[in-house]
Structure formats: structure tokens, C-alpha cells
Amino acid sequence: MRVYQWEEMSDEQREVVSVAKEQVQRSYCPYSHFHVGAAALLANGEVVRGCNQENAAYPSGLCAERSALFAAGAQYPEQPVTKLAIACYTGGHFTDVPGAPCGACRQVMLETEHRYGGKMEILLYGEKETYVFESAADLLPLIFVKENLKG
Ligand code: THU
């Protein structure tokens, strides 16, 4: 993992993080009031947006990361996801420290990376610093993927 200041990131990294930051405004989080925005950059240059979607039946909601990755898979199934950015906002400001994706989102990130056969960079935005992981694999050791189902 590398820690970046805003000005140290590339234009492409800043663009995808900016979309994730915009997306916190669209978060539907009447229960937690914890807004999470996500943005997936595809190989064709498209940026697919996501944000957390909560539900009165709590487990029926979905995290921002998965909403972006599933939307990307639904709209552009042939396009590898090259970057995924996440930003968290609560109490009237972005969190100083980046949010850590939950285990289920890490598993979905790994499936996405594995599906397309290339690395997907993960950018976790925080007001003070942004954490950049070269690959989703850096967030989850000993992965469970398609091959494991073969026994
Ligand atoms: N959440 C995300 O969207 N992504 C994360 O990485 C962590 C948590 C959401 C789920 C729920 O809507 C709210 O944040 C509080 O847990």
C-alpha cells in the first residue's frame, strides 16, 4: 500500500477519486448517516458510479463498492475495471482516514479482478491522505475464486 497526498496522485487517479467524492451526495443512508461513494474506472475510459444503498430491513442494503462493481458488470460486462475509488463522508465532512472496505466488498473486488485477469487499483480516499493498493489482491489474502470450486 502507498500513502498519497492529493497533489501526488496522477490526473487519472484524481479523476476517479473525484467521482467517488461526488457520489457521497447520492448515497441513500437514512439509518447510518454514513455516506460512501464509489467510482469504477473501466479500460474504455468510462467511469461507473456507485454509493451505499440502505434498507429498513438492514441486511438488504448494499455497500458503495459493490453497487459500483455490479453496475459496471451489468452495463459493460466486457470492460475490465482498472481502478476503484471509495470516499466516506459523515458528520458534515469526508473522513480524515480512509474507510476500509468490508470483507464482502473485498471478495467482490477479487472476483472482478480475477474475472478480467488484470490488476485493479484500489484508491481509498481520506481528507488527510489516500491509500493506494496496486491490486485488490493486496486487500485479501488466500482468496476464494472460481478454481477453488473445482476442488
Ligand atoms: N459501507 C460501504 O458502503 N462501504 C464500506 O466499505 C463500508 C460500509 C456502508 C454500508 C452502510 O450503508 C454504511 O456504510 C454503514 O456501515
Side-chain angles (χ1 to χ4, degrees):
M1 176 193 96
R2 291 189 60 187
V3 179
Y4 284 82
Q5 298 301 312
W6 186 255
E7 54 283 358
E8 292 172 331
M9 289 192 283
S10 69
D11 289 346
E12 201 177 48
Q13 287 173 323
R14 279 199 289 254
E15 194 210 324
V16 66
V17 171
S18 296
V19 176
K21 290 179 70 181
E22 270 175 41
Q23 278 303 106
V24 302
Q25 297 168 39
R26 293 177 172 165
S27 157
Y28 178 64
C29 55
Y31 307 105
S32 72
H33 306 290
F34 190 79
H35 301 247
V36 187
L41 176 66
L42 311 187
N44 67 359
E46 288 285 339
V47 179
V48 176
R49 293 163 178 264
C51 53
N52 53 333
Q53 304 290 326
E54 296 187 350
N55 195 286
Y58 292 179
S60 304
L62 193 66
C63 292
E65 297 91 318
R66 276 177 286 163
S67 86
L69 291 176
F70 290 157
Q75 292 171 59
Y76 302 96
E78 308 303 332
Q79 290 296 318
V81 181
T82 59
K83 294 188 192 309
L84 177 71
I86 302 139
C88 300
Y89 183 97
T90 192
H93 54 81
F94 287 99
T95 58
D96 282 345
V97 174
C102 78
C105 286
R106 292 179 197 216
Q107 178 66 28
V108 170
M109 288 176 198
L110 257 301
E111 180 82 22
T112 305
E113 195 169 79
H114 203 75
R115 171 178 180 177
Y116 296 115
K119 287 184 176 177
M120 177 171 71
E121 187 179 72
I122 309 296
L123 299 117
L124 308 179
Y125 174 79
E127 276 285 81
K128 294 236 164 86
E129 52 200 18
T130 297
Y131 299 161
V132 181
F133 297 82
E134 224 175 276
S135 162
D138 297 336
L139 284 168
L140 191 65
L142 201 66
I143 56 172
F144 184 79
V145 283
K146 201 161 55 174
E147 286 68 31
N148 298 106
L149 291 171
K150 294 180 187 142

